[in-house]
Amino acid sequence: MLIERVLYPVTSLGPGERLVIWTSGCSKGCANCISPEMWQPRTDKNIPNAQLLGFVRDVFAKNTVDGITISGGDPLEQADELLEFLVELNKIGEKVSDILIYTGYTLSELQQILTAEQLEILQKNVAVLIDGKYVDELNDSQSPLIGSTNQQIHYFNAVVRPKYEIYRQNGRQIQNFYYGDNLLSVGIHSKKEE
C-alpha cells in the first residue's frame, strides 16, 4: 500500500490515543484540502502490507493504543490493498476493535464501485467510516470528526458509538508533531478565512 506517514499517539482524529496511517494518492482534489501533498500517488512509498502489519503489532505491543485511524489521501483509492490489510489487522485481536476510516467517497458510491464481497469486508473490519468529499463552504468549525457538514459518520460497529459520541462533545483539536525540521499539524481544521 502507498503510505505517506504513520503517527502515534494521535488524539485529534478519533477518541483516545490512536495510531494514524495516512495513505498516498487521492483524485478528489477538494478545494482547501488539508493535505494536498498526498494527492499524487507516491510509488516510492509503497510499503508491503506484511511490513506495515509488523510495525502496527510493534506499536500495540509497546503502547496502549485505543484505536486506528486510516486517512489520506484516500485509502479507498487502494481498495484491494486496504481491504487485505484490514482483514490481517483484525487478526491481531480485540485490541484492534476500533478502526476509523476517512474517505472522499460516499457510502452509496462505495456500494456501486466495490463488489458485494469487498463491501462486506469493509463493514465487517471497520468500526466507523466517515465519508464524503471535503467542501470548504460547508466547514462547520465544530465537529472534531468531520470537516464539512456533507460528510457522514457511519457506525459499522455499534459498540464504539458511545465513546465517539463523547468525543464529539469536545470540539476540534489540533496536534502538532515535529519531526526533523518539519512541523505537521494534525486534526480537523476550521475553515480558512479569506
Side-chain angles (χ1 to χ4, degrees):
M1 203 160 36
L2 305 182
I3 302 297
E4 184 66 31
R5 66 178 68 102
V6 181
L7 288 175
Y8 171 85
V10 177
T11 58
S12 57
L13 288 173
E17 294 190 344
R18 305 180 72 83
L19 175 69
V20 179
I21 301 168
W22 283 268
T23 62
S24 173
C26 181
S27 62
K28 311 297 183 297
C30 302
N32 288 323
C33 171
I34 187 65
S35 52
E37 74 278 6
M38 294 185 208
W39 289 358
Q40 189 64 36
R42 297 276 310 270
T43 55
D44 61 320
K45 295 196 173 197
N46 190 14
I47 298 177
N49 278 348
Q51 183 179 345
L52 186 58
L53 283 163
F55 177 77
V56 170
R57 282 189 189 96
D58 191 48
V59 172
F60 271 78
K62 297 176 181 175
N63 302 279
T64 299
V65 182
D66 298 307
I68 297 174
T69 298
I70 304 175
S71 189
D74 192 330
L76 280 154
E77 290 196 8
Q78 302 178 66
D80 291 337
E81 295 87 351
L82 175 68
L83 296 172
E84 177 185 303
F85 177 70
L86 292 172
V87 169
E88 293 302 315
L89 190 57
N90 274 284
K91 291 179 183 176
I92 292 175
E94 282 191 33
K95 292 199 290 186
V96 189
S97 62
D98 179 5
I99 299 174
L100 161 64
I101 292 185
Y102 282 92
T103 180
Y105 293 106
T106 63
L107 183 55
S108 62
E109 288 171 332
L110 290 173
Q111 290 167 341
Q112 293 175 18
I113 61 175
L114 297 178
T115 66
E117 181 183 3
Q118 288 176 317
L119 196 59
E120 182 181 353
I121 291 170
L122 181 69
Q123 292 175 332
K124 182 179 177 185
N125 291 281
V126 172
V128 180
L129 179 78
I130 298 178
D131 74 348
K133 293 180 182 179
Y134 171 73
V135 178
D136 198 45
E137 297 78 21
L138 299 178
N139 185 328
D140 70 356
S141 74
Q142 300 297 320
S143 175
L145 289 171
I146 62 172
S148 55
T149 55
N150 62 297
Q151 296 173 320
Q152 300 293 312
I153 302 170
H154 303 277
Y155 295 98
F156 296 148
N157 181 350
V159 172
V160 302
R161 188 175 188 138
K163 74 176 180 176
Y164 276 82
E165 294 299 329
I166 292 168
Y167 181 79
R168 291 177 69 188
Q169 296 172 15
N170 296 331
R172 292 186 176 178
Q173 309 170 39
I174 302 298
Q175 279 178 278
N176 291 320
F177 289 86
Y178 296 93
Y179 59 103
D181 293 332
N182 299 305
L183 170 67
L184 179 64
S185 181
V186 176
I188 306 294
H189 289 69
S190 296
K191 183 178 177 179
K192 294 178 182 177
E193 297 299 326
E194 301 283 329

